[in-house]
Amino acid sequence: MKTYQCYRTIFIYFFILNCKLVFAQLDTTHYLSPLHSRRTADIEEHYLYLSTPYSSPFTVTIKDGSGLILSAPTISSSSSFEYYLGDGQLSGSKMVVPLDSLNVVLKSSGLIVEGPKPFYANFRARSGAQATSLTSKGSGGIGTEFRYGGFPQLQDNSYRNFVISIMAVNDSTDIVISDYDPAVVFEGTTTVSLDTLNVRLDEGESYVISGYTDVAANLSGFMGALIEATKPITLNNGNWCGSIHNGTGQDVGVDQSVPTNMLGSEFILISGDGTTDLEQGIVVAHYDNTNIYSGG
């Protein structure tokens, strides 16, 4: 058994499976806020994939953040649906936004998907060398307090960033982003360098921030950042692209977070098919003096 003492929030889980959260992915309403890639070349075709275990067909409504209906497909256990979102970051996609959409309130980006019966909503994207899959947590992803999760990066190249995006569920939602290295620089048509970010969003509006790893503090300085809201929000976060090791390879690693009140104390980490320097667990402590045990 190994024991670790965490006095500050310094590491984030990247891929943690907790059984009580898996079922929350099946829901009647899903909120998906947009993301950002440092290079347009790392995002090509991307889709929203809808499926359900229910055999009787029902209609699902796909809207953007402004409430505009984009599609109203019928799904069932024998008939899933794939909604094409775009090809490239500059195509007007609802789910991947360019540099000039960072650090500003976005009124018609993101997706809100609703149906009369529970269903899954999964965002999928690919490029020539990269791919990712992000499944909405449904009601399990809605809350007022979150921690940022992604890769603690060790070096820069022209691919890597960190990214978070927030969508408000109600009008007049005040959000504070804090508890990160004050040297972090947020990209945009005008860069932002503040030790606390404040934004107000109305229902369906989104806000996206990203830091590129050509700034030293952006490598791991945003790890464990605290996101607090006066009303419920959802948070998508991670890296497009990033890596946990000191090599040149990278991939997209994004997920929809669960709020801190939904986090548990026991988790199962699943190893993938990568090398040992890539197959690592990442843990964050939300409270001081948190002891973490692994391997029994």
Side-chain angles (χ1 to χ4, degrees):
M1 179 184 291
K2 296 179 180 179
T3 305
Y4 305 90
Q5 186 83 19
C6 295
Y7 292 98
R8 294 192 70 250
T9 300
I10 53 176
F11 294 116
I12 305 290
Y13 78 90
F14 171 59
F15 188 76
I16 294 180
L17 180 65
N18 185 324
C19 62
K20 75 176 183 180
L21 302 181
V22 170
F23 298 106
Q25 296 175 352
L26 185 66
D27 218 321
T28 56
T29 303
H30 297 274
Y31 294 86
L32 289 163
S33 53
L35 295 158
H36 171 74
S37 172
R38 182 172 173 178
R39 300 194 322 164
T40 298
D42 293 319
I43 168 61
E44 294 178 2
E45 294 91 353
H46 45 289
Y47 304 83
L48 176 69
Y49 187 84
L50 305 177
S51 62
T52 183
Y54 291 87
S55 58
S56 298
F58 59 93
T59 300
V60 175
T61 302
I62 303 171
K63 301 182 291 184
D64 68 12
S66 72
L68 175 68
I69 296 177
L70 305 174
S71 183
T74 297
I75 64 172
S76 67
S77 59
S78 61
S79 180
S80 57
F81 181 76
E82 193 173 80
Y83 180 70
Y84 177 73
L85 290 163
D87 182 359
Q89 190 162 254
L90 305 178
S91 62
S93 166
K94 297 295 183 180
M95 279 299 296
V96 189
V97 298
L99 189 69
D100 62 5
S101 295
L102 300 179
N103 312 318
V104 297
V105 174
L106 304 175
K107 297 184 178 297
S108 60
S109 294
L111 299 172
I112 302 171
V113 195
E114 298 173 304
K117 297 179 182 179
F119 62 97
Y120 297 103
N122 178 255
F123 169 68
R124 301 177 181 182
R126 63 166 296 276
S127 68
Q130 316 295 345
T132 193
S133 171
L134 183 157
T135 299
S136 167
K137 300 294 193 299
S139 59
I142 298 173
T144 58
E145 184 180 59
F146 297 82
R147 290 282 181 178
Y148 165 78
F151 295 118
Q153 305 194 70
L154 302 177
Q155 66 182 45
D156 174 46
N157 62 24
S158 61
Y159 299 78
R160 300 179 182 180
N161 75 349
F162 69 79
V163 60
I164 78 166
S165 68
I166 298 162
M167 178 178 277
V169 177
N170 299 293
D171 288 343
S172 303
T173 300
D174 292 312
I175 299 147
V176 179
I177 304 170
S178 63
D179 199 17
Y180 55 84
D181 186 335
V184 164
V185 175
F186 302 101
E187 289 296 325
T189 51
T190 300
T191 60
V192 175
S193 184
L194 298 170
D195 57 7
T196 301
L197 300 178
N198 295 272
V199 62
R200 169 170 281 202
L201 299 178
D202 286 331
E203 179 183 0
E205 293 181 342
S206 296
Y207 195 79
V208 185
I209 62 174
S210 179
Y212 297 173
T213 52
D214 56 352
V215 176
N218 291 355
L219 289 167
S220 59
F222 198 71
M223 295 295 294
L226 180 64
I227 298 94
E228 300 171 289
T230 56
K231 298 178 182 179
I233 59 172
T234 61
L235 175 74
N236 287 342
N237 58 182
N239 309 86
W240 202 318
C241 297
S243 179
I244 196 174
H245 75 140
N246 205 25
T248 57
Q250 55 273 314
D251 209 340
V252 185
V254 292
D255 194 15
Q256 184 168 95
S257 289
V258 295
T260 56
N261 68 300
M262 289 286 288
L263 296 175
S265 58
E266 186 173 359
F267 301 88
I268 299 171
L269 279 71
I270 301 176
S271 177
D273 195 27
T275 56
T276 55
D277 59 334
L278 295 175
E279 297 296 328
Q280 301 184 52
I282 309 170
V283 180
V284 60
H286 182 56
Y287 300 102
D288 289 341
N289 302 318
T290 298
N291 291 311
I292 299 171
Y293 307 93
S294 67

